[in-house]
């Protein structure tokens, strides 16, 4: 079966504003995200790619555009099933506000039971994303061979849920996974089981460095960024 290169979209204006974007239209890459997207063709230069698949949201399409410009013959497709989680009434709200919502503790500790008001459940989010990947694996293998590699640009929670599926992890553990903006996660699918080859690879180790804290403040775990050990719903904004 093919090798899937999962790319999280570059850093967005919602990431830097601390907003849960969800499917809100008009959320674009910020200056740093644009730089990350511009660097993607060089990072993937050694790979022969069969096709490119994107979430329909603008920030994903923007992230893939430099790669498509660098490879004019690379087929490009849009896949609705790898769009961002439908956060419903939470979409567009500040993450700092949402931390006080009773549902947030469920999202963090028991996500398989979490359903967003006016939106979808996290179980449904994972199920549609896994179905999409399985379908694309079959399609790419049929058209390009079992050893083909293809790229798919999606969102933090989608990618984390796909990694959990590949590792045979229950969805309730997926918040232990972290993927930065424009990071690369690679999964090699075989007839019997998937193999996780890379997760959240940004090409440098900057995101692993401790964040600077005010004097006397508690340390913030790498990737948390909000003074807690909770996972960033939606994926977080990555290193400055």
């Amino acid at each position: 079966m093919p090798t899937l290169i999962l790319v999280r979209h570059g850093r967005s204006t919602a990431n830097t504003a601390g907003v849960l974007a969800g499917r809100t239209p008009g959320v674009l890459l910020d200056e740093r995200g644009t730089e990350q997207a511009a660097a993607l063709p060089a990072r993937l230069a050694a790979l022969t790619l069969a096709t490119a698949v994107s979430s329909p949201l603008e920030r994903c399409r923007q992230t893939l555009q430099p790669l498509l410009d660098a490879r004019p013959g690379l087929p490009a497709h849009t896949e609705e099933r790898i769009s961002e989680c439908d956060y419903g009434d939470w979409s567009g709200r500040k993450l700092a506000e949402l931390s006080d919502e009773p549902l947030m503790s469920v999202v963090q500790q028991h996500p398989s039971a979490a359903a967003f008001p006016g939106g979808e459940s996290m179980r449904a989010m994972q199920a549609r994303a896994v179905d999409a990947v399985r379908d694309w694996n079959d399609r790419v293998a049929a058209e390009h061979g079992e050893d083909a590699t293809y790229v798919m640009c999606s969102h933090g929670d989608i990618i984390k849920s796909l990694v959990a599926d590949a590792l045979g992890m229950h969805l309730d553990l997926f918040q232990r996974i972290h993927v930065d903006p424009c990071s690369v996660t690679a999964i090699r699918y075989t007839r019997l089981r998937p193999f996780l080859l890379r997760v959240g690879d940004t090409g440098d180790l900057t995101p692993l460095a401790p964040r600077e804290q005010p004097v006397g403040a508690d340390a913030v775990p790498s990737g948390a960024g909000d003074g807690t050990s909770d996972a960033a719903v939606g994926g977080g904004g990555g290193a400055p």
Side-chain angles (χ1 to χ4, degrees), residues 12 23 25 29 32 38 61 76 86 97 101 114 125-126 129-130 133 151 156 158 167 199-200 207 226 237:
S12 72
R23 299 180 179 181
L29 300 184
R32 174 62 178 148
R61 292 189 283 109
D86 184 355
E97 298 174 3
E101 294 279 355
M125 173 198 74
Q126 183 187 43
V130 169
V133 165
V151 64
I158 295 289
L167 292 177
V199 60
D226 59 354

Side-chain angles (χ1 to χ4, degrees), residues 24-218:
T24 305
V27 176
L28 306 177
L29 300 184
D30 68 3
E31 183 177 355
R32 174 62 178 148
T34 301
E35 293 171 353
Q36 291 170 331
L40 189 60
R43 292 171 59 200
L44 299 180
L47 300 179
T48 299
L49 299 174
T51 194
V53 184
S54 177
S55 157
L57 296 181
E58 294 102 316
R59 54 195 183 272
C60 287
R61 292 189 283 109
Q62 278 186 295
T63 299
L64 276 189
Q65 193 58 54
L67 179 65
L68 298 176
D69 291 342
R71 303 192 188 200
L74 182 64
H77 307 272
T78 299
E79 173 56 73
E80 295 283 346
R81 292 174 295 177
I82 61 166
S83 188
E84 180 63 287
C85 183
D86 184 355
Y87 297 117
D89 297 344
W90 279 26
S91 301
R93 292 181 59 187
K94 289 278 190 179
L95 287 165
E97 298 174 3
L98 293 171
S99 64
D100 295 328
E101 294 279 355
L103 178 60
M104 182 61 84
S105 61
V106 181
V107 171
Q108 294 294 330
Q109 300 174 43
H110 191 19
S112 65
F116 296 97
E120 71 179 330
S121 70
M122 301 198 91
R123 285 182 293 107
M125 173 198 74
Q126 183 187 43
R128 62 174 167 81
V130 169
D131 283 348
V133 165
R134 301 292 180 178
D135 289 347
W136 276 101
N137 283 348
D138 291 342
R139 177 172 174 176
V140 170
E143 295 178 3
H144 302 279
E146 297 286 333
D147 294 325
T149 297
Y150 70 108
V151 64
M152 180 177 279
C153 188
S154 188
H155 307 267
D157 282 348
I158 295 289
I159 294 171
K160 288 162 55 178
S161 72
L162 290 169
V163 170
D165 172 74
L167 292 177
M169 291 170 52
H170 197 282
L171 183 62
D172 285 344
L173 302 179
F174 100 125
Q175 297 290 26
R176 301 182 184 191
I177 301 164
H178 181 78
V179 292
D180 275 325
C182 222
S183 64
V184 170
T185 294
I187 303 172
R188 168 67 175 169
Y189 288 88
T190 73
R191 185 173 62 86
L192 296 179
R193 57 188 172 184
F195 291 88
L196 182 63
L197 307 178
R198 293 286 190 279
V199 60
D201 190 336
T202 62
D204 64 66
L205 300 179
T206 302
L208 299 180
R211 305 287 178 84
E212 290 186 6
Q213 296 297 308
V215 176
D218 293 334

